[in-house]
Amino acid sequence: MRNLNLFTHFFSKSRFFVEKSLLAFTSFRCMCVAIAIFIGITAVGVTKEKPEKVELDTIIKDFTLKDADGTSHALYQLSEEKPATVVMFLATQCPIATDYAERIVALVKTYNEKHEKKVQFIGINSNKQETIEEIAEYSKKHGFEFPVLKDPENKIADYFGAKRTPEVFLLDAKRVLRYAGAIDNSPKEPTKHYLKDALDLVIAGKDIPEKSKKTRAVGCTIKRVRKKDVDRTP
């Protein structure tokens, strides 16, 4: 009888131990599943929040921004029936952008006088610290006779993938992005004129060589506003 009691006692404890172990394993397994689901949901959320970005040789979507006077301008309206449109990311406090101011004015004048259907130039200021008052004063000082629009939340800079000022994006008559990058190869004494060469080809209806479609813009970085829950992974 004593041996039977010992066996019963041992069996009961063993059974309790096994049941406890199974319960712990089940809890651990459930926790792992929960973590995996959470990571999956988070990953989906990050993917959804990643800013849309245009690619070369694709059509640019329409967007609307305001100028310093508060007037709204839509890309499609400005570029309507134009042989080409140049979107330029500019700044008021960047010395390199200022080095290009006179050159930009000359470029605008050349293509407005040279072609019956004028090329549309659009300036965009995406720097968080530069006010609309500064933009208006700067544009007047340097003789910018084209709309300079404020991109207050950097949404358009994010869409184009613009990182520096000045940085330009050339669209053809169908608003297809044909060139992206620098205006030329030097803020001081350029020997290569990337934008002008690309413009001439686009206006003539010719293809830009693959190696010439994108160059590296050199200038001041665009100072962006802080965005929560946005993945900026390139």
Side-chain angles (χ1 to χ4, degrees):
M1 180 66 69
R2 184 172 178 274
N3 289 337
L4 180 62
N5 289 337
L6 287 173
F7 175 78
T8 304
H9 177 72
F10 175 77
F11 180 76
S12 299
K13 289 191 70 175
S14 298
R15 184 179 177 185
F16 174 75
F17 177 76
V18 170
E19 289 178 348
K20 187 175 181 182
S21 298
L22 286 172
L23 181 62
F25 176 75
T26 302
S27 300
F28 177 74
R29 189 177 178 184
C30 291
M31 182 177 68
C32 290
V33 171
I35 291 172
I37 293 172
F38 174 76
I39 291 173
I41 293 172
T42 304
V44 170
V46 169
T47 301
K48 287 182 178 179
E49 290 293 334
K50 189 168 184 176
E52 181 185 3
K53 185 177 176 182
V54 73
E55 301 291 339
L56 280 166
D57 300 318
T58 62
I59 296 175
I60 299 291
K61 71 177 183 181
D62 195 16
F63 61 82
T64 301
L65 293 173
K66 293 181 179 181
D67 62 20
D69 295 326
T71 304
S72 294
H73 298 270
L75 171 67
Y76 278 23
Q77 184 179 12
L78 291 171
S79 59
E80 188 175 3
E81 296 185 0
K82 301 292 184 181
T85 299
V86 181
V87 177
M88 305 177 290
F89 286 86
L90 305 174
T92 64
Q93 300 173 11
C94 174
I96 298 175
T98 299
D99 285 340
Y100 275 96
E102 186 175 339
R103 212 172 307 174
I104 289 170
V105 170
L107 197 65
V108 172
K109 183 178 180 181
T110 296
Y111 282 91
N112 282 348
E113 292 178 350
K114 189 176 180 181
H115 301 279
E116 184 179 346
K117 289 186 176 180
K118 299 178 180 180
V119 171
Q120 180 65 59
F121 288 83
I122 303 170
I124 296 181
N125 184 301
S126 300
N127 276 330
K128 64 179 182 179
Q129 80 280 11
E130 296 177 3
T131 65
I132 55 174
E133 291 78 15
E134 285 182 60
I135 295 169
E137 184 179 346
Y138 187 89
S139 299
K140 183 178 180 181
K141 177 182 177 180
H142 293 284
F144 288 171
E145 296 184 356
F146 52 85
V148 180
L149 313 177
K150 184 64 180 176
D151 178 25
E153 296 181 357
N154 320 125
K155 289 182 179 179
I156 306 306
D158 289 345
Y159 175 61
F160 277 95
K163 296 178 180 179
R164 298 184 178 276
T165 57
E167 189 167 354
V168 299
F169 297 82
L170 170 62
L171 320 183
D172 65 15
K174 295 181 180 180
R175 304 183 183 97
V176 173
L177 179 60
R178 300 288 302 279
Y179 169 78
I183 294 174
D184 51 41
N185 67 336
S186 173
K188 300 298 182 183
E189 297 180 3
T191 57
K192 295 181 180 179
H193 304 274
Y194 306 130
L195 176 59
K196 183 179 182 301
D197 292 344
L199 256 173
D200 289 341
L201 289 171
V202 166
I203 292 171
K206 298 179 180 179
D207 291 332
I208 299 173
E210 198 66 34
K211 65 179 182 180
S212 301
K213 288 182 178 181
K214 189 176 182 67
T215 60
R216 182 175 177 272
V218 177
C220 307
T221 56
I222 294 174
K223 306 304 184 291
R224 285 170 155 81
V225 297
R226 179 180 291 276
K227 295 183 178 71
K228 293 182 179 179
D229 303 323
V230 173
D231 179 17
R232 292 192 181 279
T233 305

